[in-house]
Amino acid sequence: MTNSYPADARLRVFASASSWIEGAAVRQLEQTLQRRGVLAVAAMPDLHPGHKGPVGCAVLTDGVVHPDIVGTDIGCGMTLWRLGGLLRRLKVDKAVRALERLGDRGGLDPAEAVAAGVAADVAARHAAALGTVGGGNHFVELQAVDRIIDAAACADAGVEPGALLLLVHSGSRALGPEVLARHPHVHGEGLPLEEGGAAYLADHDAAVRFARLNRAVLAERAAELLGLDGAPWLDVPHNHVTVEDGRALHRKGAAQADLGLVPVPGSRGALTYLVRPDPDAPGALRSIAHGAGRKRDRASLHGKRDGGERPNPVGNRVICADARLAREEAPEAYKDIGQVIADLDAHGLARPVAALRPLVTFKTGRA
DNA sequence: ATGTTC
C-alpha cells in the first residue's frame, strides 16, 4: 500500500513504499506546493503532519519567505558533543543522578547572554531560557558509540566504539514564537524579501543563533554535571530558512546536509545514527531527514486503550517527571529510525557512519 | 513548538 503523491514535477519524495507516510501529511504537501513562489519541495522519509504544513521537508521558493513553514521553533536543531569518557568506566546510576539536576538551575543572566552575543533587548526577555530544554520532542541525551558502520569515515572523525557523546535537541524556546508573531503574514502568501521578508529574516537569524547558543549551554552544563570534559563537535539546525541568490530555502524538520556529519536520532528508546550526507543529492535541497518522525499524534497516546507503560526497547534511562509528556514521547509514538536511514541511503541522500546508543535521556525534571 | 493547557 503506497500513498499517491501529488503529480507535480516540483515535488521529490525520498521515501520507500515501506515507509508509512500519513495521508494528512501528503495533503499538506499539496498545500505547500500551492504556496506563493514555490520552486521545489523535498519530502523526507520522516514526513508527518504538522501545524501549518508537513514536518520533514525542505521548500525552495523564488524569494518569498514563508515564516509559517519554519513555524514557532525557529533554529531548532541537534548538537553533538564529544565527552572525555568511556562507556566501560561509566556508572549509569551516577549519570542519571547527575543529569536529573539539569533542570535545577535557571538560565543565563542577561549580562552573560549579551557576552555570548545575544542582543541586549533579546537577552532582557529571554536570557533565562538559555540552558533550558523545553518540551515536546526536545531532550539532552548521553550516548555511547555502539557500532562502527563506515570504518574509514569513523577513523576520519575519530569515532571509536564505547566513546561517550552528548546529543542535545532544543531550539529558541519562547523567542521563536515571539519572532513569528512579530511578522504577520497571510498563510500561503508569505513575505517577499523586499516586503517584510528581509525584516523577518533578521529576527529569524537572531533566533537561529539563540537556539544554537541554548544547545551549547545545555551541553556544557550536562558535561559539567557528569564530571566529564566536553568538546563541541557538530551543530545542525533543522528548522530555519536561508536565502541565497535571491531564493529562500526553508527547512521544516529537515536537517541541513552541507555541514558535514549529521546525527539523526530515533525515538527516546532507539539508536541515533550518525550519517554522512551527500549535499549535492539531486532534488534533496541540501537536506536530509531530521529523525524518526512521529507515527502517532500526541492525543492518541492518552487514555486507557493505549495499554500503559512499555519497557524501553534499548534500555536507556529516561528522566521525565511529566507523565503526560512521557506518554506523548513514548518510543511507540515514533517511526522506525532504521527504515528512515535505509531510505536516506537508498535514495543517495546520506550514508550511515555509526550507530549511537542512548544511555541516559533528560526530558524534564519538572513534575 | 510555546514563562504551553482544558
Side-chain angles (χ1 to χ4, degrees):
Chain A
M1 179 81 174
T2 59
N3 278 304
S4 91
Y5 296 106
D8 189 312
R10 299 172 298 165
L11 174 65
R12 295 287 304 273
V13 180
F14 297 97
S16 65
S18 48
S19 281
W20 170 243
I21 289 178
E22 276 183 68
V26 176
R27 287 190 291 280
Q28 287 187 332
L29 274 181
E30 291 171 13
Q31 290 165 3
T32 298
L33 287 160
Q34 288 164 14
R35 286 175 178 271
R36 179 154 64 135
V38 171
L39 300 174
V41 176
M44 298 298 154
D46 57 338
L47 193 83
H48 62 91
H51 186 51
K52 295 268 177 101
V55 179
C57 64
V59 181
L60 182 69
T61 73
D62 59 9
V64 176
V65 176
H66 292 278
D68 55 351
I69 291 180
V70 177
T72 53
D73 199 5
I74 300 167
C76 188
M78 299 285 170
T79 283
L80 190 64
W81 277 37
R82 302 177 197 270
L83 292 177
L86 291 170
L87 175 59
R88 66 172 184 273
R89 293 201 204 117
L90 184 79
K91 303 259 194 299
V92 173
D93 287 337
K94 198 176 153 200
V96 170
R97 286 195 299 274
L99 289 183
E100 276 172 349
R101 294 169 53 206
L102 201 48
D104 292 356
R105 283 165 69 184
L108 299 188
D109 294 327
E112 292 176 299
V114 169
V118 177
D121 61 321
V122 173
R125 292 192 301 279
H126 298 286
L130 286 165
T132 61
V133 177
N137 54 2
H138 291 171
F139 61 84
V140 173
E141 194 164 85
L142 174 64
Q143 304 183 335
V145 177
D146 191 60
R147 187 162 59 92
I148 303 297
I149 299 169
D150 180 334
C154 283
D156 273 358
V159 173
E160 293 178 1
L164 295 178
L165 300 166
L166 205 47
L167 180 64
V168 177
H169 177 203
S170 190
S172 52
R173 310 289 281 104
L175 175 58
E178 179 188 287
V179 169
L180 183 63
R182 201 186 296 145
H183 296 274
H185 53 279
V186 175
H187 174 77
E189 289 298 306
L191 300 171
L193 283 171
E194 63 280 5
E195 296 167 39
Y200 164 77
L201 274 172
D203 283 348
H204 159 284
D205 291 353
V208 169
R209 293 191 295 272
F210 185 93
R212 183 178 295 122
L213 174 61
N214 183 34
R215 291 188 290 273
V217 174
L218 281 164
E220 190 172 17
R221 287 184 172 184
E224 186 186 324
L225 287 167
L226 289 164
L228 299 170
D229 290 333
W233 181 16
L234 307 170
D235 187 88
V236 186
H238 55 228
N239 238 24
H240 66 159
V241 54
T242 56
V243 174
E244 201 176 311
D245 299 330
R247 293 175 166 191
L249 176 55
H250 309 69
R251 292 186 179 88
K252 177 62 172 178
Q256 192 170 341
D258 54 8
L259 297 170
L261 299 179
V262 177
V264 184
S267 69
R268 290 319 91 222
L271 301 180
T272 288
Y273 285 83
L274 190 61
V275 306
R276 182 170 53 176
D278 176 0
D280 302 315
L285 303 177
R286 285 182 285 135
S287 304
I288 62 167
H290 79 315
R294 286 199 83 84
K295 181 168 68 180
R296 297 178 57 185
D297 66 275
R298 294 175 185 281
S300 78
L301 290 148
H302 299 295
K304 288 181 185 146
R305 287 194 61 217
D306 191 52
E309 281 196 30
R310 292 165 182 76
N312 184 313
V314 296
N316 53 309
R317 306 266 295 270
V318 179
I319 301 162
C320 184
D322 181 340
R324 186 177 178 82
L325 178 63
R327 276 199 297 277
E328 293 178 350
E329 291 295 318
E332 61 267 23
Y334 285 85
K335 300 187 204 185
D336 172 17
I337 187 61
Q339 182 64 52
V340 169
I341 300 299
D343 281 6
L344 291 176
D345 196 358
H347 289 88
L349 268 57
R351 306 294 300 271
V353 164
L356 314 177
R357 175 171 293 271
L359 303 168
V360 183
T361 308
F362 178 86
K363 293 284 296 175
T364 178
R366 170 175 50 85

